[in-house]
Amino acid sequence: MASKKTGTGVPSYVIPCLTGNMVFALIKLGYLEDQRVQKAIDWIVKYQRTDDGDVLSSDEYHKKRPACFSKHSCHMGVAKSFKALVAIPKEKRSKEIKDKIIEFAEYFLIHHIYKQSHNLEKDSKPGWKKFGFPLMYQTDILELVELFQEIGLKDERLKDAINIIKEKQKDDGTWLLDNTYNGRTTIRIEVKGKPSKWITFKALKVLR
């Protein structure tokens, strides 16, 4: 959101999930070295929290956006921030960025990706078992496990999510498109409920 006075962005209206998506896209389009992208990366490293319902931040910036920075961090904000930093080539990641990536990874590991960290018998995000492409501000098990693959991090706490990916494979070897933004985007991408080339490619890549 832009200020009516300055025409520039208003810091208090920065939304983590959308910022992460935009940073990811701009990095993939070759704008990593752009000063504005670098500032956005710095913002993620500095402000994106990974609180698990333990403490409420006393930072005034966090207090202004309780929906994104409440006592328990917003899963989508962490997911898209994680995705953005993983898009940075390894050789261009500072120590701060590397540490933040590990912080994001551990956040999802204590949740076994989609469960309640304080009660692993319950799902925190059951909707993440339904795979979609593209995902906008939302995420799913497949996208998150793919990030772990990209950083080369193996952990037993990923097992539940990986098993779900395996179980969703159809007899013909494909995976279905469960979720879609068709009807809200410029073009349609595949058909909901039908075999998906995108989901199948990503699933096979993860299970490879």
Side-chain angles (χ1 to χ4, degrees):
M1 181 177 290
S3 166
K4 292 181 179 180
K5 292 182 179 180
T6 66
T8 59
V10 180
S12 61
Y13 282 94
V14 176
I15 299 175
C17 58
L18 301 184
T19 298
N21 269 341
M22 186 58 70
V23 171
F24 169 82
L26 289 169
I27 290 173
K28 290 297 185 180
L29 290 169
Y31 289 93
L32 174 62
E33 305 301 334
D34 189 286
Q35 184 180 6
R36 292 161 293 184
V37 175
Q38 288 294 314
K39 286 180 68 176
I41 292 171
D42 290 343
W43 183 92
I44 290 173
V45 172
K46 181 177 181 180
Y47 288 111
Q48 182 55 55
R49 305 168 71 231
T50 53
D51 298 278
D52 189 37
D54 302 319
V55 292
L56 187 62
S57 174
S58 59
D59 190 297
E60 288 300 320
Y61 183 89
H62 292 141
K63 289 181 178 179
K64 292 178 180 178
R65 294 212 64 80
C68 299
F69 301 110
S70 57
K71 190 173 182 180
H72 194 295
S73 296
C74 171
H75 286 329
M76 272 67 79
V78 182
K80 299 306 177 177
S81 296
F82 187 19
K83 183 178 179 179
L85 296 192
V86 171
I88 301 171
K90 293 180 181 179
E91 67 276 9
K92 294 190 176 182
R93 295 174 190 166
S94 65
K95 181 182 183 303
E96 291 75 18
I97 289 172
K98 293 176 182 177
D99 289 345
K100 200 70 177 181
I101 287 174
I102 295 302
E103 180 184 325
F104 290 153
E106 182 59 25
Y107 175 85
F108 284 110
L109 287 174
I110 64 174
H111 289 88
H112 287 220
I113 302 295
Y114 64 98
K115 297 184 177 183
Q116 293 183 16
S117 60
H118 301 290
N119 183 358
L120 293 173
E121 296 300 315
K122 293 185 177 181
D123 293 351
S124 174
K125 295 293 181 182
W128 288 5
K129 296 178 182 179
K130 297 180 179 180
F131 301 159
F133 182 89
L135 291 170
M136 289 292 288
Y137 73 92
Q138 269 287 4
T139 188
D140 59 29
I141 287 172
L142 184 56
E143 181 179 59
L144 289 168
V145 173
E146 188 176 16
L147 294 178
F148 279 90
Q149 182 192 46
E150 290 183 19
I151 62 175
L153 200 164
K154 297 181 180 180
D155 193 287
E156 277 296 309
R157 292 169 289 180
L158 292 170
K159 189 174 181 180
D160 294 331
I162 291 172
N163 284 340
I164 288 175
I165 296 172
K166 291 179 179 178
E167 291 166 2
K168 287 178 68 66
Q169 186 177 27
K170 310 307 290 184
D171 291 340
D172 63 359
T174 65
W175 278 259
L176 304 183
L177 182 72
D178 299 319
N179 285 326
T180 177
Y181 282 93
N182 286 342
R184 289 179 280 175
T185 54
T186 304
I187 60 172
R188 294 177 60 83
I189 299 178
E190 302 185 322
V191 179
K192 185 177 181 179
K194 299 292 185 179
S196 163
K197 293 180 180 179
W198 280 106
I199 303 300
T200 299
F201 168 74
K202 290 163 74 68
L204 290 174
K205 176 186 173 184
V206 164
L207 299 177
R208 179 176 55 188

